Amino acid sequence: MCESEKMADSLTLFQSIGLSEQKAKETLKNESLSLILKDAINLAQGMLGAKSVDKASGTLLYSMASRLKSPQHLAFLTEQIALCRISTELQLSAALDFVKARLQEPIHKQEFEEACGVGIVITPEQIEDSVEVVINKHRDQLMKERYRYNMGLLMGEVRAALKWADGKIIKNEVDMQVLQLLGPKTEADLEKKPKAPKTKSPGNEKNEVVAENGGVKVEGRSLMEQLRGEALKFHKTGENYKTEGYVVTPNTMKLLKEHLEFTGGQVRTRFPPEPNGILHIGHAKAINFNFGFAKANNGICFLRYDDTNPEKEEEKYFLGIRDMVEWLGYQPYQVTHASDHFQKLYELAVDLIRRGHAYVCHQRGEELKGHNPPPSPWRDRPTEESLVLFERMKKGLFAEGEVTLRMKMVMEDGKMDPVAYRIKYTPHHCTGDTWCIYPTYDYTHCLCDSIEDITHSLCTKEFQARRSSYYWLVNALDLYCPVQWEYGRLNLTYTVVSKRKIVKLVDTGAVRDWDDPRLFTLSALRRRGFPPEAINNFCARVGVTVAQTTTEPHLLESCVREVLNEKAPRAMAVLEPLKVTITNMPSTTQVEVRIPDFPANEARGIHTVPFAHTIYIEQSDFREVMEKGYKRLTPDQPVGLRHAGYVITLQRAIKDASGKVVELEVSCTSSNVAEKPKAFIHWVSKPLQCEVRIYERLFLHKNPEDSSEVPGGFLSDINPESMQVIPNALVDQSVVGSKTFDKFQFERIGYFSVDPDTTEEKLVFNRTVTLKEDPGKI
């Protein structure tokens, strides 16, 4: 068999367990993973005979193959998965830990089963009951401390009682029952519990934790409070010289006086993105910090495009960046470009050469790479010679890469003589063919800050190594010098935000585009339905810190829920419809049911939906066989219909040729006379058909870029279940006329947003986040 035929066979084999074609192709690129996975699938198929490996087992086989360090116990683990003895990721993780600790020992079946929870199934009802017991146990303390109570203690007790329960479902259940007990958070709840005061030395009256270069995290304050006045140890305008590390020259006080006369003592900041990609969640912190600091202190903030590399800049990025800044609620005082100052920057470069601080160098780019490149033999060339050569660079008399202009200084990281100008024969987005020499970031950034009279140059921590070069260059040219302040980057787990890596995700088909709702670009979050207020609230909770912050997505999702709970009107939708015919209701009868848009405050609006002879419910809301703890519809158990005022009782279940239930016939009784049912379910009648897209994490591992966690690279870590498309869901008529990005809470399911793919013929909804409760539960 030739190599291409083997590849095709492997591709078919991987797709047979539920992998997408794209995921299967990516897996084939990882030879060691492919070999283990093929062995596992073949073993499983041999054990199952004519029965094929289902998708759930296939997902576990793939997860096992990607995490198994030694194939010694491959056959044993495959058997456990194939025979459904291991049926959850939690059990698989325990199984992998178990065999890892016994690589040279035989497996004792009973010991293994006890350690891995084989045969144990935890139902949502069990979790509900266990959470209820734990909350009742701590009820008094919860009522006293409210949301300041450590909810982790509650979850820990439930996990101790139900070891094999899904932690996410436990958290959702705890959140829901706590909400039912305490009600929505008040303003007092949102204020974080102040830290216990530390022993203070005389004169130190404020209980603040001062971060490097002055950044402070003040607990329990809004972002505006954190950024206002004394909350940060930033310098006052005009008092730059009081800042640690600031370079004072004989002209400093004169330049500061001129600066104050021009600005009137106003705070001036800037947000300076490169227009070569789409903004992501990390940029949201930068936007909030720069615009928020200016706003909190009655200042102004510029949106300045750092457009010094014409090869990578596109119109869509310029437009997309401004769109996202304004979407987050900020209006730039002025939109500027580094290219606005190209002529001034060129004149300053000539001045820098004349002052003996820069020279034209002929070393090639490859010679300058590495940690210790050789010093330039042209460093001491005559000033006049460099001036002539720089003018020739400007006139286009050299090839790209043949010469550069370099500054005579050593950066904090030891890099010597950074490049100030290089040649690029690429038309510029704003200036066209006017220039063929373009300034670098190290040269441009501080000078544009000075030209625009920025008072506080706020940047992320990695630019700390450039602070000394920032001050050196501005002072070398005898210009007003702003103060650079650093803050910590905001990172999220289970994602990548690098432009290069997102391009790879798009090019390989792992995601559709930069705004794919599984990404954490701002355009993707908007498309998924995240409100801008929620993103800003998230940035406030992360706080103004200098230390780099790595946060889990569920903290952002929590902020989203809080906003949508107040802003998203309710509707009813059925994702997996089951037809229900009401036998004691005439087919011509139709009742209009009034439903509050916001049940907690009916004054905010009411909508009506029809209730007719035929309705649709979720397939999961009916079971033919009664199970302990199940509270919805069964042959022996009626169920209530939310808002309708009716209770339905099963008369007959109609099945197709394969034995699948396709329709229910029920009788209907007014809830005023019927015995109170154990549960109420949602329903739709005369609904609209819609498409619903359900999103999960894009990556399987917390840190997909970490080679120790994902040896095959981030592209090998794509979650095959990250998007589920439900093409024929049903939704009630209240959503008719919805526009793109309109948001709803689909009762008992989650929060949803109208996708831009919506047409006049069909609505498309993205699930934004789940409800706090388990979506499959009452």
Side-chain angles (χ1 to χ4, degrees):
M1 186 183 289
C2 68
E3 193 62 29
S4 60
E5 289 175 328
K6 288 181 181 178
M7 292 282 283
D9 286 349
S10 297
L11 191 66
T12 302
L13 184 66
F14 291 169
Q15 289 180 278
S16 73
I17 64 166
L19 294 189
S20 66
E21 182 181 357
Q22 182 60 45
K23 184 65 177 177
K25 287 180 178 177
E26 287 299 326
T27 301
L28 283 172
K29 295 177 183 177
N30 187 327
E31 186 177 350
S32 60
L33 173 59
S34 294
L35 289 173
I36 295 174
L37 185 57
K38 276 191 276 188
D39 287 345
I41 297 171
N42 289 328
L43 284 167
Q45 289 177 341
M47 295 168 190
L48 295 172
K51 186 180 176 183
S52 60
V53 178
D54 62 35
K55 191 171 184 179
S57 296
T59 300
L60 289 174
L61 287 176
Y62 181 86
S63 183
M64 175 196 68
S66 65
R67 296 155 66 186
L68 193 63
K69 303 301 181 186
S70 169
Q72 182 176 344
H73 295 302
L74 176 65
F76 174 79
L77 290 174
T78 299
E79 179 185 31
Q80 302 301 310
I81 293 171
L83 301 181
C84 296
R85 293 171 185 157
I86 291 176
S87 57
T88 68
E89 276 288 340
L90 198 62
Q91 290 175 323
L92 178 60
S93 294
L96 289 167
D97 290 341
F98 186 90
V99 299
K100 182 180 178 183
R102 295 163 178 80
L103 289 178
Q104 306 302 323
E105 301 172 18
I107 299 296
H108 296 288
K109 184 179 178 183
Q110 184 177 350
E111 185 182 353
F112 173 84
E113 291 180 351
E114 289 175 358
C116 304
V118 173
I120 297 176
V121 177
I122 306 296
T123 66
E125 288 74 19
Q126 286 176 281
I127 294 175
E128 179 184 9
D129 293 340
S130 185
V131 170
E132 188 175 347
V133 169
V134 171
I135 284 183
N136 284 335
K137 177 182 172 183
H138 298 277
R139 184 185 182 90
D140 291 342
Q141 199 63 23
L142 266 168
M143 295 298 290
K144 180 181 178 182
E145 295 187 26
R146 289 182 60 77
Y147 288 98
R148 289 181 176 177
Y149 187 82
N150 184 355
M151 303 302 171
L153 298 176
L154 304 180
M155 289 184 278
E157 285 195 32
V158 178
R159 284 301 294 269
L162 301 173
K163 180 179 178 181
W164 302 108
D166 186 314
K168 185 178 179 182
I169 297 178
I170 291 176
K171 182 184 183 302
N172 289 338
E173 184 62 36
V174 168
D175 286 345
M176 184 194 72
Q177 292 199 27
V178 168
L179 181 65
Q180 288 176 340
L181 177 65
L182 304 179
K185 290 182 178 179
T186 64
E187 288 188 9
D189 292 325
L190 294 173
E191 290 184 5
K192 294 182 179 178
K193 187 176 181 180
K195 293 182 178 179
K198 296 181 180 180
T199 304
K200 302 175 186 177
S201 56
N204 183 16
E205 299 301 321
K206 292 186 178 180
N207 180 28
E208 295 178 334
V209 181
V210 183
E212 186 177 347
N213 202 25
V216 179
K217 175 69 164 66
V218 184
E219 294 292 340
R221 299 187 183 181
S222 70
L223 182 66
M224 289 297 108
E225 289 172 325
Q226 292 179 50
L227 296 173
R228 189 177 293 122
E230 291 301 314
L232 292 169
K233 290 297 180 185
F234 285 175
H235 69 282
K236 294 180 181 178
T237 53
E239 295 185 356
N240 305 32
Y241 58 91
K242 293 185 178 181
T243 307
E244 183 180 350
Y246 190 81
V247 178
V248 178
T249 70
N251 269 338
T252 292
M253 301 313 291
K254 170 179 169 291
L255 292 168
L256 284 175
K257 182 181 178 182
E258 293 171 355
H259 161 75
L260 277 174
E261 288 173 355
F262 177 77
T263 64
Q266 185 179 47
V267 167
R268 295 164 70 96
T269 64
R270 80 288 169 274
F271 173 58
E274 297 176 72
N276 60 4
I278 297 296
L279 302 183
H280 54 72
I281 187 65
H283 290 112
K285 180 177 179 180
I287 292 169
N288 272 276
F289 200 3
N290 280 282
F291 283 92
F293 177 68
K295 184 177 180 180
N297 294 282
N298 300 314
I300 59 175
C301 183
F302 294 78
L303 169 59
R304 182 205 305 149
Y305 295 110
D306 183 17
D307 57 342
T308 57
N309 189 350
E311 294 172 340
K312 297 182 179 180
E313 294 154 7
E314 296 182 40
E315 172 73 11
K316 65 179 181 181
Y317 298 136
F318 285 89
L319 297 175
I321 288 168
R322 181 166 186 175
D323 184 29
M324 288 298 100
V325 168
E326 294 179 349
W327 177 64
L328 287 177
Y330 294 106
Q331 192 63 42
Y333 168 74
Q334 187 177 342
V335 177
T336 63
H337 305 72
S339 58
D340 297 342
H341 308 299
F342 275 179
Q343 181 61 40
K344 177 68 174 177
L345 293 171
Y346 169 76
E347 292 168 2
L348 289 172
V350 171
D351 189 20
L352 197 66
I353 297 171
R354 286 199 177 110
R355 291 170 181 258
H357 297 311
Y359 63 96
V360 172
C361 176
H362 300 272
Q363 281 180 300
R364 298 281 180 167
E366 53 270 19
E367 296 179 67
L368 301 178
K369 291 179 180 178
H371 296 294
N372 192 25
S376 172
W378 291 278
R379 195 174 199 269
D380 297 320
R381 77 186 327 159
T383 296
E384 290 304 319
E385 191 175 310
S386 281
L387 286 169
V388 170
L389 291 171
F390 189 50
E391 181 66 18
R392 294 181 66 192
M393 285 174 63
K394 178 175 175 285
K395 290 180 177 179
L397 300 179
F398 293 102
E400 284 192 23
E402 189 176 352
V403 288
T404 57
L405 180 69
R406 296 176 66 182
M407 298 176 280
K408 293 182 180 179
M409 54 90 63
V410 180
M411 301 180 74
E412 286 186 30
D413 60 2
K415 182 180 178 183
M416 187 171 182
D417 294 359
V419 172
Y421 270 87
R422 71 278 203 218
I423 297 171
K424 288 183 180 290
Y425 292 110
T426 303
H428 189 275
H429 173 79
C430 293
T431 61
D433 294 322
T434 303
W435 298 91
C436 65
I437 54 171
Y438 292 98
T440 61
Y441 174 89
D442 288 323
Y443 177 79
T444 307
H445 180 66
C446 57
L447 295 181
C448 284
D449 280 354
S450 178
I451 292 167
E452 293 176 356
D453 276 283
I454 300 303
T455 58
H456 299 75
S457 181
L458 310 176
C459 54
T460 48
K461 193 73 166 63
E462 63 265 32
F463 291 99
Q464 182 178 352
R466 289 168 158 159
R467 197 197 308 166
S468 62
S469 63
Y470 182 111
Y471 292 160
W472 174 87
L473 179 55
V474 178
N475 287 311
L477 288 166
D478 232 359
L479 301 173
Y480 157 73
C481 184
V483 179
Q484 175 174 307
W485 296 93
E486 298 92 21
Y487 58 90
R489 287 173 63 96
L490 170 60
N491 296 318
L492 278 184
T493 55
Y494 294 101
T495 190
V496 297
V497 294
S498 155
K499 297 167 190 172
R500 179 177 57 84
K501 289 178 180 176
I502 292 177
V503 167
K504 284 189 177 181
L505 289 171
V506 174
D507 290 346
T508 58
V511 299
R512 287 172 293 175
D513 208 337
W514 289 79
D515 67 346
D516 187 297
R518 291 166 290 180
L519 295 172
F520 280 84
T521 60
L522 293 183
S523 56
L525 295 179
R526 177 171 67 175
R527 182 168 187 170
R528 185 160 173 167
F530 282 35
E533 310 97 297
I535 294 173
N536 293 342
N537 291 347
F538 173 65
C539 291
R541 289 190 184 180
V542 170
V544 182
T545 61
V546 167
Q548 179 169 294
T549 306
T550 300
T551 307
E552 301 226 1
H554 71 80
L555 296 176
L556 172 58
E557 291 168 0
S558 175
C559 294
V560 172
R561 286 190 188 93
E562 288 178 7
V563 172
L564 292 182
N565 185 50
E566 293 297 318
K567 294 200 169 186
R570 276 45 168 179
M572 290 194 290
V574 175
L575 305 190
E576 296 180 326
L578 176 59
K579 183 179 179 182
V580 177
T581 300
I582 303 172
T583 58
N584 61 338
M585 184 176 185
S587 59
T588 56
T589 299
Q590 177 175 310
V591 178
E592 294 299 316
V593 176
R594 291 165 56 83
I595 300 176
D597 294 336
F598 298 91
N601 184 1
E602 295 191 13
R604 294 181 65 185
I606 298 285
H607 64 271
T608 61
V609 298
F611 180 77
H613 173 71
T614 300
I615 65 172
Y616 297 87
I617 66 173
E618 293 285 356
Q619 292 177 20
S620 60
D621 283 338
F622 169 72
R623 288 187 188 172
E624 272 194 282
V625 180
M626 180 66 178
E627 297 178 16
K628 184 180 178 181
Y630 187 74
K631 299 179 182 179
R632 288 159 280 164
L633 185 62
T634 72
D636 302 314
Q637 182 171 268
V639 73
L641 299 177
R642 290 171 77 94
H643 308 297
Y646 293 107
V647 175
I648 57 174
T649 303
L650 182 71
Q651 303 295 316
R652 184 165 73 105
I654 302 170
K655 302 180 180 181
D656 61 15
S658 67
K660 179 183 177 182
V661 175
V662 294
E663 182 179 351
L664 302 178
E665 290 183 350
V666 303
S667 61
C668 177
T669 307
S670 169
S671 57
N672 292 329
V673 296
E675 184 180 340
K676 184 178 179 181
K678 291 183 179 179
F680 287 83
I681 62 173
H682 64 282
W683 52 275
V684 293
S685 183
K686 296 193 174 180
L688 306 173
Q689 193 174 86
C690 65
E691 179 178 305
V692 171
R693 298 168 182 173
I694 305 294
Y695 299 100
E696 301 292 348
R697 288 169 177 162
L698 181 59
F699 296 99
L700 295 169
H701 291 81
K702 184 177 286 190
N703 301 297
E705 298 170 279
D706 186 342
S707 59
S708 64
E709 195 170 332
V710 186
F714 73 99
L715 288 175
S716 71
D717 197 46
I718 303 296
N719 176 11
E721 308 296 328
S722 61
M723 182 173 78
Q724 176 192 1
V725 177
I726 303 172
N728 297 311
L730 302 176
V731 63
D732 71 42
Q733 295 182 17
S734 68
V735 302
V736 169
S738 299
K739 303 182 295 297
T740 298
F741 303 136
D742 280 353
K743 296 162 182 61
F744 300 91
Q745 183 195 111
F746 290 168
E747 296 198 35
R748 297 178 65 234
I749 301 176
Y751 294 100
F752 290 77
S753 177
V754 179
D755 188 82
D757 288 344
T758 289
T759 64
E760 290 184 6
E761 292 74 34
K762 193 170 189 177
L763 285 163
V764 179
F765 290 96
N766 295 319
R767 187 176 74 181
T768 306
V769 289
T770 60
L771 299 177
K772 289 191 175 183
E773 69 232 43
D774 172 20
K777 213 173 60 40
I778 295 160

